[in-house]
Amino acid sequence: MLKIFEQIGRYFMLMGKVFSRPEKISIYRSRVIYEMEALGMNSIGLTAIISVFIGAAITLQMSISLESPFIPKYLIGYATRETMTLEFSSTVVALILAGKVGSNIASEIGTMRITEQIDALEIMGVNSASYLILPKIVATVLFFPFLTLLSIMIGSIGGYAIALATGIMIPDDYVEGLLFDFKVYSVVYSLIKIAVFAYIITSISAFYGYYAKGNSLEVGRASTRAVVVSSIVIMIFNLILTQLLLT
């Protein structure tokens, strides 16, 4: 238990260093753009592939389960949209990105630590925590909401495609369900969640990489711990944010 509190304390001390005033804004701006490409753009393909199949699977399962003549078919499209918007495209996408982006951040910074590159930055008078971590946090918090919007859109298209390909329901009914009782706040809720999750993934992964010790095996262990802890914290904050924003 004491070790947990020690880790939490070290985490907040590191975040204090991360959010100190940057020395040169122009350098940070170029690094944010670079990190957007490295951490965000490179995740578009994975997000799109998973979203289209999940949207198709939800539509297929709903069509099979809701076979009662008393249940309007357009509710299948409505259920697919709500599932993608409220939960999958924010929480589940965040868990997937925790594995891809989180492990990448932890291993990159961890490698810099064990090869003494971070020590070299400190000797040159550079705030290594802010220089290495802040652009990653800004990039993911700004870019991950775009991935969520993309996931919602592609998941909905996946549902339409499976309805069209299998004939399990009339595509027009599916589209009617997508438009039924649409609330903009549902999308806003999803974007708020993914922004919080982006910060969690990036900061926790950077924390474990920054304090990695030993050899390359320790970097691998730090990456694993980063993904596990990020995933647990995401699920905890998912409950908290749902309670705060939807009740």
Side-chain angles (χ1 to χ4, degrees), residues 32-100:
V32 167
I33 294 170
Y34 169 79
E35 297 295 353
M36 277 187 176
E37 181 180 355
L39 302 176
M41 295 287 287
N42 290 340
S43 300
I44 289 177
L46 177 64
T47 303
I49 291 170
I50 293 172
S51 297
V52 71
F53 284 106
I54 289 295
I58 292 170
T59 302
L60 201 56
Q61 290 171 359
M62 288 289 180
S63 300
I64 294 169
S65 302
L66 302 179
E67 289 185 338
S68 172
F70 301 104
I71 300 175
K73 286 292 185 181
Y74 70 82
L75 288 180
I76 295 169
Y78 170 77
T80 300
R81 186 198 74 208
E82 290 297 284
T83 303
M84 294 297 299
T85 303
L86 295 176
E87 206 57 36
F88 177 84
S89 295
S90 55
T91 307
V92 179
V93 165
L95 291 172
I96 294 166
L97 293 174
K100 180 183 183 297

Side-chain angles (χ1 to χ4, degrees), residues 2-241:
L2 286 174
K3 189 172 182 181
I4 293 174
F5 285 114
E6 179 192 353
Q7 293 286 82
I8 293 172
R10 292 177 78 191
Y11 169 81
F12 282 108
M13 288 174 65
L14 177 63
M15 289 302 106
K17 288 180 64 179
V18 168
F19 289 101
S20 60
R21 183 176 174 80
E23 291 86 357
K24 293 184 179 179
I25 300 295
S26 59
I27 295 175
Y28 281 72
R29 191 183 301 118
S30 62
R31 283 191 58 80
V32 167
I33 294 170
Y34 169 79
E35 297 295 353
M36 277 187 176
E37 181 180 355
L39 302 176
M41 295 287 287
N42 290 340
S43 300
I44 289 177
L46 177 64
T47 303
I49 291 170
I50 293 172
S51 297
V52 71
F53 284 106
I54 289 295
I58 292 170
T59 302
L60 201 56
Q61 290 171 359
M62 288 289 180
S63 300
I64 294 169
S65 302
L66 302 179
E67 289 185 338
S68 172
F70 301 104
I71 300 175
K73 286 292 185 181
Y74 70 82
L75 288 180
I76 295 169
Y78 170 77
T80 300
R81 186 198 74 208
E82 290 297 284
T83 303
M84 294 297 299
T85 303
L86 295 176
E87 206 57 36
F88 177 84
S89 295
S90 55
T91 307
V92 179
V93 165
L95 291 172
I96 294 166
L97 293 174
K100 180 183 183 297
V101 174
S103 61
N104 178 279
I105 291 171
S107 60
E108 177 188 338
I109 296 178
T111 300
M112 293 184 72
R113 169 61 75 185
I114 66 169
T115 56
E116 300 180 351
Q117 294 179 56
I118 292 177
D119 295 332
L121 288 172
E122 294 287 347
I123 291 170
M124 290 188 292
V126 176
N127 180 348
S128 61
S130 179
Y131 180 76
L132 295 174
I133 301 172
L134 184 58
K136 296 180 188 298
I137 291 176
V138 174
T140 54
V141 169
L142 291 177
F143 200 91
F144 280 15
F146 169 74
L147 292 179
T148 289
L149 291 175
L150 185 71
S151 174
I152 294 170
M153 182 177 66
I154 292 180
S156 301
I157 293 172
Y160 181 84
I162 200 72
L164 195 65
T166 62
I168 200 164
M169 67 175 293
I170 299 171
D172 288 345
D173 288 342
Y174 177 83
V175 174
E176 181 185 352
L178 288 180
L179 302 175
F180 176 72
D181 194 29
F182 176 74
K183 295 184 178 68
V184 175
Y185 182 72
S186 296
V187 178
V188 174
Y189 159 76
S190 187
L191 295 179
I192 292 171
K193 283 208 304 180
I194 194 64
V196 174
F197 296 159
Y199 172 78
I200 289 169
I201 293 166
T202 311
S203 62
I204 291 177
S205 300
F207 167 76
Y208 279 101
Y210 194 81
Y211 288 113
K213 295 179 181 178
N215 52 29
S216 57
L217 290 176
E218 287 302 315
V219 173
R221 293 190 183 100
S223 299
T224 302
R225 284 194 294 269
V227 173
V228 171
V229 174
S230 297
S231 299
I232 293 170
V233 176
I234 284 170
M235 297 311 297
I236 293 170
F237 271 83
N238 184 43
L239 288 175
I240 294 171
L241 291 171

